Amino acid sequence: MVIRRVLAPRIDFGALRRELGLPEGFPAAAQREADEAAAAPLPAAADRTDVPLVTLDPASSRDLDQAMHLSRRPGGGFRVRYAIADVAAHVRPGGALEEETWRRGQTVYLPDGNVPLHPHTLSEGAASLLPDAERVAVLWTIDLDAEGDTVGVTLERARVRSRAKLDYVGVQRDADAGRLPEPIALLPELGTLLTARGLRRGAVNLPLPEQDVEPDGDGWRLVLRGPVPMEDHNAQISLLTGMAAADIMLAGRIGLLRTMPPPKPEAVDRLRLAAAPLGVDWPADRSVGEVLAGLDASQPRAAAFIDQAAELMRGAGYTAFDGQLPEQPEHGGVAAAYAHVTAPLRRLADRYATEVCLALHEGREVPEWARAALPKLPEVMATTDRTASAATRGAIELAEAVLLEHRVGETFSAAVLDVDTPRPPAEPPHQSGGTSTPPPRQSGNGTGRPARQPGGTVALDEPPVRARCLGELPLGERVPVRLVTADPVDRKVLFERA
């Protein structure tokens, strides 16, 4: 559901695109390969067009990676059929298009249009699982028992046909009214079951509202929204498939995992100490994930606690392996081994991980083009992850600065989400052989570094802005703050406690 919207005037995102070095178009050879692949007949594959799949995405999406059909198994349990766009069927190894996708790494989303991983003729055309069109896909069939345990996994290249393009808001409305379409009628039940299983094994999900910039006529609107329940249920199907893929690759001793260290016990202890002052009830027998799942992120103290919990979710990356299993194969947020395989139109890594899974499942050698790519993918994905994150944050910061540019000096009510951690004392000067190094000149705090004015991060309700604020701030409380800077050129917004 949408929490807050505020209209912003015209905004030019061109400078941000140039700053990040985002490409404006595809090289002619890469575009030609994509156009030829889009016009080519579908490759031979099993015919599964009788499965009434549907897609579930944001309403404006056209790069549709996944389509699903859920059913009950005879005797109890569930059958998940999950079709994933078969990008490898359209991209020739060693060709100009593959080379360009390695340069991009992933789709970068900006309010004035995305910078796609693949040309639109594929990503929003021939490879996208658009409704009423026959497509080639990798079809996962995952059988679960009544408790949600996976009891069987198969995958195959197949021809499929989606019956409908559904969106989260519309599907949530249908779910609330008890009229979900048959292919996803079981999604609330199954999603709830899988979520509960994840929490029991120690999974952690941060229930933060999403901040976004959307077009609105000749201007833009800054939006803060929380995920609707059906969006979370849908994510569980993707997680289920990613865990199945990880198990296949670990059993085959080759693959690419999405990994993150588990939360450190001392970090969990620090978070537990923060719970009581913020009014968060944390019974001794409940995990971090279970506590977070019960919080209302619209409440200042809960939002501050969730912000503190984000410190547990550090160190995510990709881990490639071939022969020797990784020392740490799990993803701490999932609390299981997990792989990215469900978004190949938007993420480079998924294409290669999927090809590894297909080969292992079919008992054949992993293609050399996929095997050779594995050790190079972690660095490419890390680099492009940073670019995509910078684009998302930069667009929001620009919208915030434009929105507030003419309101400098005004006072707003804000919730304090985070406060600065005091810097540790400087190390004493190094001494060797009786000769001492002169101490640095001290300024303000006696550490040899300029004194830093105390402050933290605050979140406004109207407009929905999150920014730095100077002054002594009480964590989890509401305080009046005065806007002192709103600079669209530097994309900087700064408040001080009023």
Side-chain angles (χ1 to χ4, degrees), residues 311-370:
E311 294 300 316
L312 304 179
M313 311 291 281
R314 302 294 184 189
Y318 289 84
T319 299
F321 60 101
D322 189 350
Q324 184 173 350
L325 295 178
E327 291 183 9
Q328 203 297 99
E330 292 197 353
H331 188 290
V334 181
Y338 169 66
H340 275 165
V341 293
T342 63
L345 288 173
R346 294 170 276 173
R347 264 189 323 244
L348 179 69
D350 299 44
R351 184 197 319 164
Y352 298 90
T354 293
E355 202 64 32
V356 171
C357 289
L358 277 166
L360 293 173
H361 182 71
E362 295 169 2
R364 55 181 173 83
E365 287 294 318
V366 173
E368 184 55 34
W369 61 264

Side-chain angles (χ1 to χ4, degrees), residues 55-80:
T55 60
L56 179 54
D57 294 271
S60 60
S61 296
R62 286 190 57 82
D63 49 351
L64 310 181
D65 289 286
Q66 316 106 10
M68 79 173 79
H69 179 270
L70 309 177
S71 59
R72 295 199 187 275
R73 296 173 60 225
F78 305 86
R79 168 161 289 182
V80 175

